[in-house]
Amino acid sequence: MAAARHSTLDFMLGAKADGEAILKGLQSIFQEQGMAESVHTWQDHGYLATYTNKNGSFANLRIYPHGLVLLDLQSYDSDAQGQQETDSLLNKVEEKMKELSQDSTGRVKRLPPIVRGGAIDRYWPTADGRLVEYDIDEVVYDEDSPYQNIKILHSKQFGNILILSGDVNLAESDLAYTRAIMGSGKEDYTGKDVLILGGGDGGILCEIVKLKPKMVTMARRARARRIFTTCHEWHKQCRQNTVKVDWTRAMKTKVLIEDCIPVLKRYAKEGREFDYVINDLTAVPISTSPEEDSTWEFLRLILDLSMKVLKQDGKYFTQGNCVNLTEALSLYEEQLGRLYCPVEFSKEIVCVPSYLELWVFYTVWKKAKP
Amino acid sequence: MAAARHSTLDFMLGAKADGEAILKGLQSIFQEQGMAESVHTWQDHGYLATYTNKNGSFANLRIYPHGLVLLDLQSYDSDAQGQQETDSLLNKVEEKMKELSQDSTGRVKRLPPIVRGGAIDRYWPTADGRLVEYDIDEVVYDEDSPYQNIKILHSKQFGNILILSGDVNLAESDLAYTRAIMGSGKEDYTGKDVLILGGGDGGILCEIVKLKPKMVTMARRARARRIFTTCHEWHKQCRQNTVKVDWTRAMKTKVLIEDCIPVLKRYAKEGREFDYVINDLTAVPISTSPEEDSTWEFLRLILDLSMKVLKQDGKYFTQGNCVNLTEALSLYEEQLGRLYCPVEFSKEIVCVPSYLELWVFYTVWKKAKP
């Protein structure tokens, strides 16, 4: 499907806007393009001029009286020539506006055009809600599972990116994530007993088996089966040029296709204990109603059960969320104070390349017995 | 200055759009807001409906016949209540559109609203031209020098960011940049003779003096004086909580407020040689006309002169550009083959947190004499 390109050009004048003069000054530029004008005037709120072109493109010129002038230009399926015409129109408007506002220096801002409705969606907002455009050039995989939408999109710089229901999950560039959730290279996994909760993309498993642990158990929800299958292939590809992974050996580790709650409950009942529990299930919930939200309830349950299967000197690793979501992170830390046993924790801020935001990781351990 | 919020909501229908039905179906939602409608119809290009509100806000509904429906909503100086009203309107449109297009599943996309014309500009596109929004919450410094605009903006997660004429230069979070342009921790600077070209923000100087070099000479163009003054303060602040830097000692290194070309020429004539030359002047030019562009000419001159003052076993470090700008990087590598002496090079891709894109760094050295 062809897409629409939406360009913007903004003028922050240093003085009040003389709407009539600006409209009159710019009119000829749109007329030259054969665009038809229609103007709406507010008594106190300035002007909105709409210019429509026979080819289906249109422009909006919104003049706010105190000195803000915003131009929007939208055109559909524009080829290189169409894009040049758009740029040329924007250049002319910018030039003319400079002429018109000579007495009042101000700011001009032209953003990269937004591509809307294209086959390849490049806009995947950050966890803290900022608009960011990725350099996506290919849709590798896009399917709905019964639980979520699963996408693998190819980014020129980050490689394949796994996107679950619109959230950037992990990219091939993001070894920093896997390293961080394994303790940032400061742990010795040799001969250790490790439990991974979630980790459906297989990245942690793939890295941990290199470190000669005694046993790695991975409990991932059945719903993740499809991601795992998808990502197994992806990871195989992604490691091909760097590290040779013996996936057969990796698969000899225990991978339970089972919701992690019953697994944890069973282990707790059996008195089974691990040196490391790595929770890669989900980020800290953004919602800030821990008393009502079932995600928080799930999180507390997992934490409590994880502490039950963690050795007294064991460590629990997990991701937090974007460093900017301070309220959600504080709430998470509050939950840590409410577990069945007293725990301590430390946190680390890590740059995960494809996230385009800094990410917090937690290490939690049981407080030494007095 | 108050700002305008521009919200978008896009529908990629799975089938052709029945424009009349969509217009009719959505009409009541805008009418309920007291918005006045005006519709432009193309013979082959669908519809543009404009809705204006008495309070100065307006909406555009653009229906492209093959199945793309784009809604834009712009309102000025909206408070929390205004934002809620916008969200509620968008929700209603989304709901109604789902009803109207029941037979044809499609995609819906709602981006974070774009804030236009605010006192704090949060949009600083990447070197490869992508639209990204930063979490800027304060303008720390904003002034025009005779050569460029200098801004220091505060980002919640990256700390202060230095922005030169619209280009993100360096942030407090970006020790990765300084490390990379110093050889990524693989070099032993003890007792070495180092020449820094540029480095106006003082970051490299600040890190290198910790490594006990014999002498650090820094040649920065006079035009950078203002940045240096600005950044000195900034760096002092930025390091306060981490590393204590003895700036008096750092200042005992030789800092030449002089264009680096005459400095290099003088050193070359004197036969002065360095163990390391670190070129922190500028990124590889994005323009791809190295024969015409004076930036490329400047770059070649610097490279040639740098090789002249580099010891036979010395190393030259510099930044490239965004990893996606493959053409510009190839051209740079071509220039390396045209120097007065044969050289070899390696490159490294580094994630500099505040850049929101992966960055290439070069190490260049003189080919061993046969």
Side-chain angles (χ1 to χ4, degrees):
Chain A
M1 186 195 273
R5 275 166 62 97
H6 190 113
S7 302
T8 63
L9 178 58
D10 300 347
F11 302 92
M12 284 65 79
L13 308 179
K16 289 205 171 183
D18 181 348
E20 297 263 0
I22 291 170
L23 274 179
K24 215 173 151 187
L26 298 180
Q27 229 158 25
S28 62
I29 297 173
F30 297 102
Q31 276 167 356
E32 276 165 27
Q33 306 284 319
M35 291 173 115
E37 185 189 61
S38 125
V39 180
H40 178 89
T41 309
W42 282 269
Q43 205 170 354
D44 303 316
H45 299 294
Y47 300 83
L48 169 67
T50 305
Y51 302 91
T52 48
N53 194 318
K54 277 183 194 154
N55 65 14
S57 68
F58 74 96
N60 266 329
L61 180 70
R62 179 72 179 91
I63 304 170
Y64 293 98
H66 73 284
L68 181 60
V69 179
L70 306 183
L71 177 68
D72 287 77
L73 215 146
Q74 203 182 97
S75 52
Y76 177 71
D77 196 13
S78 54
D79 49 11
Q81 198 201 328
Q83 293 179 22
Q84 248 175 21
E85 278 169 22
T86 301
D87 287 343
S88 142
L89 180 73
L90 293 174
N91 290 343
K92 280 180 194 160
V93 170
E94 188 171 339
E95 226 165 274
K96 189 71 190 178
M97 280 297 291
K98 274 188 191 149
E99 239 180 84
L100 291 169
S101 57
Q102 261 177 348
D103 306 331
S104 58
T105 50
R107 283 187 293 139
V108 182
K109 187 81 180 187
R110 195 192 295 200
L111 295 180
I114 301 180
V115 177
R116 299 169 68 175
I120 294 177
D121 185 350
R122 295 163 60 97
Y123 306 91
W124 301 101
T126 57
D128 71 342
R130 286 174 295 112
L131 174 60
V132 288
E133 177 184 358
Y134 282 85
D135 53 349
I136 306 294
D137 56 6
E138 194 195 338
V139 179
V140 179
Y141 182 93
D142 188 356
E143 243 180 81
D144 288 313
S145 84
Y147 305 98
Q148 58 195 343
N149 174 268
I150 304 168
K151 279 187 181 63
I152 295 179
L153 305 182
H154 184 263
S155 145
K156 275 197 266 183
Q157 62 192 306
F158 301 126
N160 285 335
I161 307 182
L162 176 65
I163 296 178
L164 298 179
S165 297
D167 286 333
V168 170
N169 207 269
L170 206 68
E172 288 176 278
S173 58
D174 299 345
L175 192 60
Y177 177 95
T178 308
R179 269 181 57 82
I181 206 165
M182 284 170 57
S184 295
K186 285 174 285 190
E187 303 301 322
D188 180 7
Y189 281 92
T190 323
K192 296 290 169 62
D193 214 349
V194 185
L195 176 64
I196 304 172
L197 307 175
D201 63 76
I204 299 171
L205 183 61
C206 165
E207 289 302 317
I208 260 185
V209 293
K210 293 184 213 161
L211 302 174
K212 304 194 172 56
K214 188 172 88 191
M215 176 75 182
V216 184
T217 309
M218 179 162 149
R220 51 192 188 78
R221 287 167 294 177
R223 69 183 74 171
R225 189 192 298 257
R226 198 186 302 227
I227 307 172
F228 195 77
T229 318
T230 315
C231 294
H232 183 163
E233 271 312 302
W234 158 39
H235 269 274
K236 227 167 55 182
Q237 280 174 33
C238 113
R239 304 281 185 240
Q240 259 168 3
N241 299 321
T242 49
V243 187
K244 283 250 179 259
V245 174
D246 181 354
W247 273 94
T248 333
R249 194 188 65 175
M251 285 312 164
K252 273 183 196 155
T253 60
K254 204 170 186 172
V255 177
L256 305 164
I257 313 288
E258 201 179 333
D259 198 282
C260 63
I261 301 276
V263 171
L264 283 168
K265 281 186 174 164
R266 199 165 64 233
Y267 284 158
K269 206 175 155 192
E270 289 168 4
R272 182 132 157 59
E273 287 191 327
F274 295 87
D275 297 288
Y276 294 105
V277 177
I278 301 177
N279 176 351
D280 189 33
L281 288 170
T282 172
V284 162
I286 292 178
S287 105
T288 49
S289 320
E291 304 312 327
E292 294 156 32
D293 189 325
S294 65
T295 326
W296 281 99
E297 208 175 300
F298 173 73
L299 186 145
R300 273 195 303 268
L301 179 59
I302 295 273
L303 263 169
D304 248 335
L305 286 168
S306 295
M307 287 306 131
K308 279 187 181 144
V309 304
L310 190 68
K311 288 185 181 166
Q312 180 61 34
D313 60 349
K315 280 185 185 163
Y316 173 88
F317 296 120
T318 194
Q319 61 170 317
N321 208 315
C322 167
V323 72
N324 277 346
L325 296 172
T326 46
E327 209 175 333
L329 294 171
S330 297
L331 275 170
Y332 178 74
E333 292 164 22
E334 259 178 46
Q335 311 306 311
L336 291 176
R338 293 192 194 178
L339 303 185
Y340 85 94
C341 67
V343 302
E344 295 181 300
F345 70 90
S346 65
K347 51 187 165 178
E348 193 187 6
I349 296 168
V350 174
C351 179
V352 180
S354 83
Y355 285 13
L356 309 185
E357 60 192 332
L358 298 177
W359 211 250
V360 175
F361 288 85
Y362 285 97
T363 304
V364 184
W365 61 93
K366 290 178 178 173
K367 222 167 169 170
K369 282 177 181 162
Chain B
M1 186 195 274
R5 273 166 62 97
H6 190 113
S7 302
T8 64
L9 178 58
D10 301 346
F11 302 92
M12 285 64 79
L13 308 179
K16 288 204 170 181
D18 180 349
E20 296 263 0
I22 293 170
L23 274 178
K24 215 173 152 187
L26 298 179
Q27 229 159 26
S28 63
I29 298 173
F30 297 102
Q31 275 167 357
E32 275 166 26
Q33 306 284 319
M35 291 174 114
E37 185 190 62
S38 125
V39 179
H40 178 88
T41 310
W42 282 269
Q43 206 170 354
D44 303 314
H45 300 293
Y47 300 84
L48 169 67
T50 305
Y51 301 92
T52 48
N53 194 319
K54 276 181 194 155
N55 65 14
S57 69
F58 74 97
N60 267 329
L61 180 70
R62 179 71 178 94
I63 304 169
Y64 293 98
H66 72 283
L68 182 60
V69 179
L70 306 183
L71 177 69
D72 288 76
L73 215 146
Q74 205 182 96
S75 53
Y76 176 70
D77 197 14
S78 55
D79 48 12
Q81 198 202 328
Q83 293 179 22
Q84 247 173 20
E85 279 169 20
T86 300
D87 287 342
S88 142
L89 180 72
L90 294 174
N91 289 343
K92 281 180 194 159
V93 171
E94 188 171 338
E95 226 165 275
K96 189 72 189 175
M97 280 297 290
K98 273 187 192 150
E99 240 179 84
L100 291 169
S101 57
Q102 262 178 346
D103 306 330
S104 58
T105 50
R107 283 187 294 138
V108 182
K109 188 81 181 187
R110 194 192 296 197
L111 295 179
I114 301 179
V115 177
R116 299 169 67 175
I120 294 177
D121 186 349
R122 295 163 61 95
Y123 306 91
W124 301 100
T126 56
D128 70 344
R130 286 174 296 112
L131 173 60
V132 287
E133 177 184 357
Y134 282 84
D135 54 349
I136 306 294
D137 56 6
E138 194 195 338
V139 178
V140 179
Y141 182 93
D142 187 358
E143 243 181 78
D144 289 312
S145 84
Y147 306 99
Q148 59 196 341
N149 173 268
I150 303 168
K151 279 187 181 61
I152 295 179
L153 305 182
H154 184 263
S155 146
K156 275 197 265 184
Q157 62 191 307
F158 302 125
N160 285 335
I161 306 182
L162 177 65
I163 295 179
L164 299 179
S165 297
D167 286 332
V168 169
N169 207 269
L170 206 68
E172 286 177 271
S173 58
D174 299 345
L175 192 61
Y177 177 96
T178 308
R179 270 181 57 82
I181 206 164
M182 284 170 59
S184 295
K186 285 173 285 191
E187 303 301 321
D188 180 7
Y189 281 92
T190 324
K192 297 289 167 63
D193 214 349
V194 185
L195 176 64
I196 304 171
L197 308 175
D201 62 77
I204 299 170
L205 183 60
C206 167
E207 289 302 316
I208 260 184
V209 293
K210 294 182 211 161
L211 302 175
K212 303 192 170 59
K214 189 172 87 191
M215 176 72 181
V216 184
T217 309
M218 180 162 147
R220 51 190 187 78
R221 287 166 295 178
R223 68 183 76 172
R225 188 193 299 256
R226 198 186 301 229
I227 306 173
F228 195 77
T229 319
T230 314
C231 294
H232 183 165
E233 271 313 301
W234 159 39
H235 269 273
K236 227 169 52 184
Q237 280 173 34
C238 114
R239 303 278 185 242
Q240 258 167 3
N241 298 320
T242 50
V243 187
K244 284 249 177 261
V245 174
D246 180 354
W247 273 95
T248 333
R249 195 187 65 175
M251 286 313 165
K252 275 183 194 156
T253 61
K254 203 172 191 171
V255 177
L256 305 163
I257 313 286
E258 199 178 336
D259 198 283
C260 63
I261 301 276
V263 171
L264 283 167
K265 282 185 173 163
R266 198 165 65 234
Y267 284 158
K269 204 174 157 191
E270 290 169 4
R272 181 132 156 59
E273 287 191 329
F274 296 87
D275 297 288
Y276 295 105
V277 176
I278 300 177
N279 175 352
D280 188 33
L281 289 169
T282 172
V284 162
I286 292 180
S287 104
T288 48
S289 321
E291 305 310 328
E292 293 156 30
D293 188 325
S294 64
T295 325
W296 281 98
E297 207 175 301
F298 174 72
L299 185 145
R300 273 195 304 268
L301 180 60
I302 295 273
L303 263 169
D304 247 336
L305 286 168
S306 294
M307 288 306 131
K308 278 186 181 144
V309 303
L310 190 67
K311 288 185 183 167
Q312 180 62 33
D313 61 350
K315 281 186 185 163
Y316 173 87
F317 296 121
T318 192
Q319 62 169 317
N321 208 315
C322 167
V323 71
N324 277 347
L325 297 171
T326 46
E327 208 175 334
L329 294 171
S330 296
L331 275 170
Y332 178 73
E333 292 165 23
E334 258 178 46
Q335 312 306 311
L336 292 176
R338 294 191 194 179
L339 304 184
Y340 86 94
C341 67
V343 303
E344 294 180 301
F345 70 92
S346 65
K347 53 186 165 179
E348 192 186 8
I349 296 168
V350 173
C351 178
V352 180
S354 83
Y355 284 13
L356 308 186
E357 60 191 333
L358 298 177
W359 211 249
V360 175
F361 289 84
Y362 285 97
T363 304
V364 184
W365 60 92
K366 291 179 178 175
K367 221 167 170 170
K369 281 176 182 162

